[in-house]
Amino acid sequence: MVDSAETALLKQCQEGSEEAFRDLVERYQRRTYWIAYNMLGGYETAQDISQEAFIRVFKAIKRFDLKRNFYTWIYQIVVNLCIDHLRKRSNAPMVDLDALGGTKDETSEHPDETIGRTEVRGKVQKTLNRLPPKYKAVLTLRDIQGFSCEETAEIMGCTNATVRWRIHRARKLFKALWDGKMSEVREEEEEPLEE
């Protein structure tokens, strides 16, 4: 369902309003950053990807079909940029997230709880980093960002069946990696036929 207030904002962007585009960026900046961060695991890289996504939106906004949902378009751009980035760095050494430290948890009163959560977040990120990009993307969108299967399919540009299969497969692979039952994942596995 397309939001009429957002459609008006997008029309202003298409007419060249810089203020409207700034409002659009403010509306989606945090979410695009967190998608990129959860897929890539690095603060600066996530910022760069988020910024690049908005640059691409700015360049193509006049061609955007106002009957579509903007959020699926911007998130699709972010996910594709992340997948491209992951593929480029697949031969590069992995970043040691433990060396980077964790984020401060303001809600915790006990330092031990904060350290425990930080360690778990680091292990989750390391495990996600070992998954092929298509599996990392669906887990990030569905399980971390909370998108529905339908929204994830639209963002990923595939069918619901493919997304459901990838989520199922990604969760199994994640669990095997997490439990130490598997050391590496190959991306060559065949996917179900599109519906």
Side-chain angles (χ1 to χ4, degrees):
M1 188 158 120
V2 179
D3 178 358
S4 60
E6 186 168 275
T7 301
L9 184 64
L10 288 166
K11 276 184 184 179
Q12 291 174 359
C13 290
Q14 289 179 332
E15 293 166 359
S17 170
E18 290 180 20
E19 184 177 332
F21 190 76
R22 225 177 293 131
D23 290 346
L24 195 64
V25 170
E26 286 178 17
R27 183 179 280 205
Y28 287 97
Q29 190 171 22
R30 285 179 55 90
R31 195 87 186 248
T32 58
Y33 166 79
W34 283 111
I35 289 170
Y37 182 81
N38 286 314
M39 285 189 68
L40 302 173
Y43 172 78
E44 287 182 19
T45 308
Q47 280 187 318
D48 291 345
I49 294 289
S50 180
Q51 185 176 8
E52 177 63 28
F54 284 110
I55 289 169
R56 291 187 182 197
V57 166
F58 183 79
K59 289 178 179 178
I61 193 77
K62 291 185 183 197
R63 296 185 310 270
F64 179 71
D65 180 1
L66 295 174
K67 294 177 191 138
R68 290 185 60 208
N69 283 318
F70 176 77
Y71 77 88
T72 57
W73 184 47
I74 183 73
Y75 298 153
Q76 186 174 38
I77 292 169
V78 171
V79 168
N80 288 337
L81 287 169
C82 288
I83 288 172
D84 289 346
H85 182 81
L86 288 168
R87 286 185 177 139
K88 286 177 188 171
R89 80 170 194 199
S90 65
N91 293 332
M94 299 296 276
V95 174
D96 182 6
L97 293 174
D98 289 334
L100 297 175
T103 57
K104 185 177 177 186
D105 184 0
E106 299 293 333
T107 61
S108 177
E109 294 180 18
H110 303 292
D112 291 342
E113 289 177 20
T114 302
I115 291 168
R117 284 189 205 135
T118 300
E119 288 173 0
V120 169
R121 283 186 199 128
K123 186 176 178 185
V124 166
Q125 193 63 54
K126 281 182 179 180
T127 306
L128 277 173
N129 285 343
R130 294 170 64 199
L131 292 174
K134 66 184 177 185
Y135 297 132
K136 188 174 183 179
V138 294
L139 280 183
T140 298
L141 292 170
R142 181 74 177 108
D143 292 347
I144 297 174
Q145 294 297 320
F147 287 106
S148 69
C149 283
E150 292 78 19
E151 291 169 322
T152 302
E154 193 172 345
I155 292 168
M156 296 290 297
C158 55
T159 66
N160 285 336
T162 300
V163 166
R164 287 191 304 271
W165 185 88
R166 284 183 185 175
I167 289 169
H168 171 75
R169 183 72 183 133
R171 288 175 179 161
K172 285 178 77 173
L173 291 171
F174 184 94
K175 183 169 180 4
L177 289 167
W178 182 271
D179 293 341
K181 295 177 183 173
M182 178 183 279
S183 61
E184 85 178 67
V185 178
R186 293 187 195 103
E187 195 171 351
E188 63 215 31
E189 203 161 313
E190 202 170 304
E191 293 193 351
L193 296 174
E194 298 287 320
E195 343 176 286

